[in-house]
Amino acid sequence: MLNPEEKPKEAAAQIARLQVDYASSMRAVYKKFGENPHVAAFFAEQLMNRKPWELWVPDQKTGDIPTFTLEARDVLERSLKDYPNHPGLCHLYCIRRLYVHRHHHHHLQPQFLVLQEQLTISLVWQIPLST
């Protein structure tokens, strides 16, 4: 691994390549074992890690939402139908929803994070949300 302090641009490019390679590898695992909610969660998470704070930022050239964002959404929504209480899937789905609002509601982000954790706890442990 390149040292980002010594070669920041090269290290960033290396990490981007590794992210793409890992997502491709996880896609193959997901195709074979996609019914497993843990595999679905790891695959969706890796797709989201490609640009974690820019999931819904359109491509500057095309104006399109990144395909990996849409793929992560589809994986999560498909898996949540069968496993609505899976903590990893719930957590990632809440994060995905949070980042939709991030660019429009900067001042609300801490409240969204609290809600996300409360929702995950509520779904997994069947505990009502606190008001």
Side-chain angles (χ1 to χ4, degrees):
M1 290 292 295
L2 295 171
N3 183 340
E5 292 179 7
E6 294 174 8
K7 298 183 177 184
K9 289 182 183 179
E10 294 88 345
Q14 181 183 48
I15 289 171
R17 283 192 308 275
L18 291 171
Q19 294 279 17
V20 170
D21 291 346
Y22 183 55
S24 295
S25 297
M26 283 305 302
R27 184 175 289 107
V29 174
Y30 177 74
K31 284 182 181 179
K32 190 169 184 176
F33 303 104
E35 72 284 348
N36 183 310
H38 307 307
V39 170
F42 278 114
F43 178 45
E45 179 179 36
Q46 182 52 34
L47 291 169
M48 293 168 66
N49 281 340
R50 300 260 320 265
K51 288 192 173 183
W53 294 101
E54 299 175 352
L55 287 173
W56 294 97
V57 176
D59 182 273
Q60 290 181 354
K61 294 178 184 174
T62 66
D64 296 334
I65 299 298
T67 56
F68 57 83
T69 298
L70 302 176
E71 186 176 13
R73 178 199 59 198
D74 293 345
V75 167
L76 291 170
E77 289 179 352
R78 191 176 311 116
S79 298
L80 281 166
K81 285 180 184 176
D82 293 328
Y83 300 96
N85 296 333
H86 187 275
L89 296 171
C90 293
H91 175 77
L92 292 168
Y93 193 74
C94 289
I95 287 175
R96 185 194 68 79
R97 297 288 301 174
L98 167 70
Y99 294 145
V100 170
H101 301 285
R102 180 179 177 272
H103 297 285
H104 303 290
H105 304 289
H106 293 284
H107 61 286
L108 295 178
Q109 188 173 2
Q111 289 87 340
F112 275 117
L113 290 172
V114 169
L115 178 60
Q116 168 205 336
E117 293 305 321
Q118 288 178 340
L119 180 59
T120 302
I121 290 167
S122 176
L123 289 170
V124 173
W125 298 106
Q126 307 285 315
I127 299 170
L129 288 173
S130 60
T131 53

